[in-house]
Amino acid sequence: MLGFISDRLVRLEMGLAALMAAAVTLLILLNIGSRSLGMAIYWVDELAIYAMVWTTFLATSVALKRRQVVAVTLLVDLLGTGTRAWIQLLCDLMILTFALALLVLCWRWLDPVTFAGVGFDIKAFQGDTFNFVYSEKTNTLGVKKIWPWLILPFFSLSLTLHALNNLLGSFKSAAFVKGAVS
């Protein structure tokens, strides 16, 4: 079941990353065109940056799920199959630990329990916590920064699911290799 959810989520992330990458390209082209005509659209740069940030987080989640990250494997390639399987398990455990830590930090940062406790009243939330995450606006777009920042809790949750799925697969693989060696 976890594998099914992870596979479906990675398809969604890949589609969203492609859309965001296309948006970055179009926004940069719009920026070039408007500047060459002497009518620069000042908010295009900021929107392109946010689209690139979303693209990066979405694509990173996909790459980690598929284990398509850059790695130096000189030493690992010299090891036996069983040892390599256990090192993969350790790597998956480190990624899961990072994802869970980021998820906890996002939870503390957004503090949804307190926000719900004050009836989703932004001013009351700010007064209680001195946390202005829900009210701070972007420089040129004028939208609340929480909208572009929502990629962080989404990334941490999706990475947690992918890492847990990969860890379970690595554990099965390492256990299988150990059983075959014994």
Side-chain angles (χ1 to χ4, degrees):
M1 181 65 171
L2 181 62
F4 176 80
I5 294 169
S6 179
D7 291 343
R8 292 291 182 251
L9 182 57
V10 84
R11 288 177 61 194
L12 173 69
E13 289 169 327
M14 198 64 210
L16 288 173
L19 282 174
M20 289 293 150
V24 169
T25 303
L26 293 173
L27 287 166
I28 296 300
L29 289 174
L30 174 63
N31 195 16
I32 291 168
S34 67
R35 285 178 189 236
S36 67
L37 294 173
M39 301 179 299
I41 305 171
Y42 64 94
W43 52 264
V44 171
D45 286 335
E46 186 176 36
L47 188 57
I49 289 168
Y50 286 133
M52 180 56 79
V53 168
W54 273 65
T55 302
T56 302
F57 278 106
L58 292 165
T60 299
S61 182
V62 171
L64 287 168
K65 153 71 170 143
R66 294 180 177 171
R67 294 185 172 125
Q68 295 175 332
V69 295
V70 176
V72 178
T73 61
L74 290 171
L75 295 176
V76 175
D77 290 343
L78 298 174
L79 302 172
T81 307
T83 307
R84 277 196 303 250
W86 285 102
I87 289 175
Q88 182 63 58
L89 181 79
L90 179 63
C91 290
D92 289 338
L93 184 61
M94 287 190 294
I95 292 170
L96 179 61
T97 302
F98 169 76
L100 287 170
L102 186 59
L103 192 59
V104 168
L105 290 173
C106 286
W107 183 269
R108 291 184 57 164
W109 176 45
L110 299 175
D111 198 1
V113 173
T114 303
F115 193 42
V118 296
F120 301 100
D121 181 348
I122 293 173
K123 291 190 188 266
F125 177 77
Q126 291 173 176
D128 287 354
T129 63
F130 295 105
N131 183 345
F132 299 91
V133 68
Y134 295 106
S135 64
E136 192 174 344
K137 292 191 175 189
T138 60
N139 293 331
T140 59
L141 292 171
V143 299
K144 293 184 178 178
K145 286 185 178 180
I146 187 64
W147 297 113
W149 288 344
L150 282 177
I151 190 60
L152 282 171
F154 178 83
F155 171 74
S156 61
L157 182 60
S158 69
L159 185 59
T160 298
L161 290 173
H162 297 323
L164 184 58
N165 181 59
N166 286 352
L167 180 68
L168 292 173
S170 290
F171 187 71
K172 289 176 188 171
S173 175
F176 174 75
V177 169
K178 183 180 180 187
V181 171
S182 315

